[in-house]
Amino acid sequence: MTAITYVITHPGYRAVKLGYTGAESDRIEQLARHGWQSFRRLSLVSSRLAWEVEQAALFQIRHRLYIPPYLTSGQMPSGGWTETASLSLIDAREAWEIVLEEAAAAHLAAQLGRPKPRRRIPVPPRRTAGDTPKFAAVARVEAARTARSAQVGAQSKPLPKRRGARNRNAARELAVEQAVITVKNPSTEEQK
């Protein structure tokens, strides 16, 4: 039985998704009905291998590149929202290269006769509809800022400084001005 590890994109959400499915499954067509476009597919010999490649690629994206899940369960009614990422943080080509690297590593491990160590991956707690991961809001803001600057053609505005920083900077500038004044106007004792 063969299986597929795939990379798909959604231009409306500006998102990329990794996944795996059986060769006979209509999962990719089901996602296409929701606006997802197929980028690349990799046929593998078993669903277990396809799952391992997907999980290894997601590990690289989440824990090596620090890219959080992008969409919520409400935006993905057919499931798979935890396997999404923002296109402003990683594009489909980069995600595909990671999938290929992990597939090559899995194939090489099988050729060497040393199976990959199986780790029990903890299942994250069940989230409710509309609930988002900790850093997904930051990723969405950054993606919106990138999209807005691409449309306008201008640089995005820098983030505002913290409230107290203005007072500290003003105090530093005042201290520098006072030091300059004392150097320019030596005391009367020095002039005698």
Side-chain angles (χ1 to χ4, degrees), residues 67-80:
I67 299 175
Y70 180 55
L71 299 179
T72 64
S73 59
Q75 293 169 313
M76 296 274 306
S78 59

Side-chain angles (χ1 to χ4, degrees), residues 111-149:
Q111 292 293 326
L112 294 176
R114 286 184 267 148
K116 285 182 116 176
R118 291 186 183 179
R119 286 188 311 150
R120 182 102 175 125
I121 299 173
V123 177
R126 199 95 163 121
R127 297 187 179 272
T128 59
D131 191 11
T132 59
K134 186 175 180 183
F135 299 109
V138 175
R140 277 197 291 280
V141 168
E142 186 62 31
R145 181 178 291 155
T146 304
R148 189 172 45 248
S149 67

Side-chain angles (χ1 to χ4, degrees), residues 2 55 76 93 113 119:
T2 61
Q55 291 300 308
M76 296 274 306
R93 182 187 49 78
R119 286 188 311 150

Side-chain angles (χ1 to χ4, degrees), residues 169-191:
N169 289 339
R172 286 186 195 129
E173 290 173 6
L174 182 61
V176 169
E177 287 177 15
Q178 289 173 349
V180 170
I181 290 172
T182 55
V183 170
K184 288 184 179 177
N185 299 327
S187 67
T188 56
E189 295 174 3
E190 294 176 4
Q191 292 178 353

Side-chain angles (χ1 to χ4, degrees), residues 19-91:
Y20 83 99
T21 186
E24 298 83 24
S25 174
D26 66 340
R27 174 74 173 150
I28 297 174
E29 289 77 20
Q30 178 186 12
L31 290 167
R33 287 191 289 270
H34 292 285
W36 290 91
Q37 298 172 352
S38 179
F39 180 73
R40 297 278 194 278
R41 299 177 190 193
L42 177 66
S43 295
L44 297 163
V45 294
S46 70
S47 60
R48 174 73 182 181
L49 185 58
W51 177 80
E52 286 180 0
V53 168
E54 178 211 32
Q55 291 300 308
L58 284 172
F59 180 84
Q60 293 291 331
I61 290 170
R62 299 283 182 252
H63 302 290
R64 299 282 163 88
L65 300 177
Y66 302 107
I67 299 175
Y70 180 55
L71 299 179
T72 64
S73 59
Q75 293 169 313
M76 296 274 306
S78 59
W81 64 273
T82 60
E83 301 155 354
T84 61
S86 171
L87 278 174
S88 67
L89 301 176
I90 185 171
D91 65 0

